[in-house]
Amino acid sequence: MRYWQKFFIFVGLFLFLVNPNLAFAFGVSPPRIIADRLVPGSRYETTIMLSQGKPDEDLRIKAEFDVPKKVRSWFSVEQGESFVIPAGIQQFPMKVIIQVPQNADLGIFNGYLRVNTVPKEEGGQVAIAVGGRIDIGLKIGDEVVVDFAIRRIEILDVAEGSPLKVRVMFENLGNVPV
């Protein structure tokens, strides 16, 4: 182990022992958004789970996209780019939406989504913000992919002599509405 690694471990341990409230865990899962089968006009949604170690109080979150300017307007977070995870919630689903316009240029676009906690304003104290980075990789092409997965099949109540009724839940895995 190198000297600087030992130094940071020592500093972290010291800060934890001096003030255990500084020990705060925050994470994102999955750490990447890979949408490599998009076409102009398609919409892509994915859920990122935000996790916190100590959900004792409300946690303010700020989501910032760091992507090329020409594609920035395609991205949004369903909850808004600033929102609050209520106290008591350890895992919070954040839905990211990518809406590719009809006139989008074909190509590969990469960037990041930074999800940062917003520290409380407390006079005279050092505030430490933690967060996570989600890698983004988009590929806009002209290949249409029609694909789906059956996620659930449910047989509804049936009476003798009645036709069988079934509820099926599909997930669209392609890049066009099906």
Side-chain angles (χ1 to χ4, degrees):
M1 189 177 294
R2 299 196 173 185
Y3 171 75
W4 60 271
Q5 291 171 321
K6 291 178 184 177
F7 174 76
F8 283 115
I9 290 172
F10 173 76
V11 169
L13 184 60
F14 175 76
L15 289 174
F16 175 72
L17 293 174
V18 170
N19 184 358
N21 292 329
L22 288 177
F24 179 77
F26 181 80
V28 296
S29 179
R32 69 189 58 81
I33 298 171
I34 305 297
D36 58 357
R37 301 187 321 181
L38 298 177
V39 294
S42 60
R43 177 183 173 98
Y44 180 84
E45 296 181 6
T46 189
T47 301
I48 304 292
M49 292 303 291
L50 307 180
S51 302
Q52 60 175 326
K54 292 172 50 174
D56 300 337
E57 52 191 53
D58 289 352
L59 181 63
R60 292 183 12 220
I61 299 292
K62 182 171 176 122
E64 297 175 319
F65 290 96
D66 183 4
V67 293
K69 278 185 181 179
K70 69 189 288 184
V71 300
R72 173 58 188 96
S73 63
W74 303 359
F75 293 87
S76 63
V77 174
E78 185 177 63
Q79 293 82 358
E81 292 185 14
S82 290
F83 58 93
V84 173
I85 299 176
I89 305 292
Q90 192 165 19
Q91 293 190 329
F92 184 85
M94 176 182 73
K95 187 182 284 186
V96 177
I97 301 166
I98 303 169
Q99 181 66 53
V100 182
Q102 287 288 348
N103 62 350
D105 293 333
L106 304 182
I108 296 173
F109 306 99
N110 297 312
Y112 311 100
L113 168 57
R114 294 182 196 334
V115 181
N116 296 315
T117 62
V118 179
K120 290 192 308 185
E121 304 275 333
E122 294 185 22
Q125 292 189 1
V126 175
I128 298 174
V130 295
R133 185 180 100 164
I134 300 158
D135 296 329
I136 297 174
L138 299 182
K139 180 179 176 187
I140 312 300
D142 57 2
E143 177 186 356
V144 173
V145 177
V146 178
D147 191 13
F148 63 90
I150 298 173
R151 293 293 176 209
R152 182 177 10 170
I153 298 176
E154 180 181 349
I155 299 174
L156 303 176
D157 289 337
V158 63
E160 188 175 333
S162 299
L164 182 65
K165 293 183 181 180
V166 178
R167 180 179 298 142
V168 181
M169 180 195 227
F170 293 92
E171 180 182 1
N172 184 358
L173 302 174
N175 59 8
V176 293
V178 177

